[in-house]
Amino acid sequence: MIRTAIRHSAGMGCCVEYSELSELPEWLRDRILEHLTRPAMDAVQDLLQTFVEDAVGLDEIRREMRDAARAETFFLRLERDALESILAEPQQEGTLRWLVEVDCNWGIDDDPTDRGAAVVLRQIADILRAAIEEAGAARR
């Protein structure tokens, strides 16, 4: 059994809290299971395409991630874990650079290598981690 605290917006500014996956509406349960079982690379690409692709800079990414984390951190934590696992494990040559140049749509001028891309991705991971922690502290 998967146990977690999940808040689902029920519209009109109210939220419903669930403590067990079985209590969730079927459509939301299916979405969570889909996210829990998808490959880390898919989660990272979704994260980058959602928060980074059209961003002008790190400040905009920070703002967007903070706003998203204020609403809910469940999926953001899954994406953070996926990004951290991609950075921790050896990747095929060019993979990290591809993530930054294609999925983020950012050029890497200083060091256009996987090493340079890893620096950018770590900055994004740090911003996401901070946004999640900040949101968690605000809920306490």
Side-chain angles (χ1 to χ4, degrees):
M1 173 189 347
I2 298 171
R3 266 185 104 67
T4 188
I6 298 173
R7 292 175 64 228
H8 163 64
S9 174
M12 306 269 273
C14 72
C15 291
V16 178
E17 295 206 13
Y18 301 93
S19 61
E20 290 191 33
L21 197 58
S22 62
E23 296 175 356
L24 296 171
E26 184 176 355
W27 67 268
L28 187 54
R29 190 172 50 240
D30 290 346
R31 182 165 182 236
I32 289 170
L33 291 174
E34 175 187 324
H35 280 265
L36 288 171
T37 58
R38 70 182 172 160
M41 188 60 71
D42 291 352
V44 169
Q45 288 179 301
D46 285 350
L47 172 75
L48 299 176
Q49 291 169 7
T50 299
F51 291 101
V52 183
E53 185 176 37
D54 294 325
V56 176
L58 295 176
D59 288 337
E60 183 178 348
I61 295 167
R62 186 173 291 106
R63 234 181 355 265
E64 294 292 325
M65 287 184 172
R66 280 179 177 160
D67 288 347
R70 280 187 203 110
E72 184 56 63
T73 61
F74 182 81
F75 294 111
L76 292 175
R77 285 183 281 132
L78 293 176
E79 292 173 335
R80 176 207 56 204
D81 293 348
L83 179 55
E84 289 176 348
S85 75
I86 293 291
L87 289 168
E89 299 169 6
Q91 301 297 322
Q92 184 176 358
E93 180 71 30
T95 299
L96 299 181
R97 195 179 88 220
W98 175 270
L99 287 171
V100 172
E101 291 182 345
V102 176
D103 292 304
C104 294
N105 195 28
W106 284 18
I108 312 171
D109 297 331
D110 297 337
D111 184 4
T113 64
D114 281 335
R115 187 176 62 243
V119 170
V120 173
L121 293 171
R122 279 190 194 94
Q123 289 175 316
I124 294 166
D126 290 344
I127 290 169
L128 179 55
R129 192 177 313 103
I132 291 168
E133 289 170 5
E134 183 181 301
R139 287 191 181 106
R140 288 185 205 130

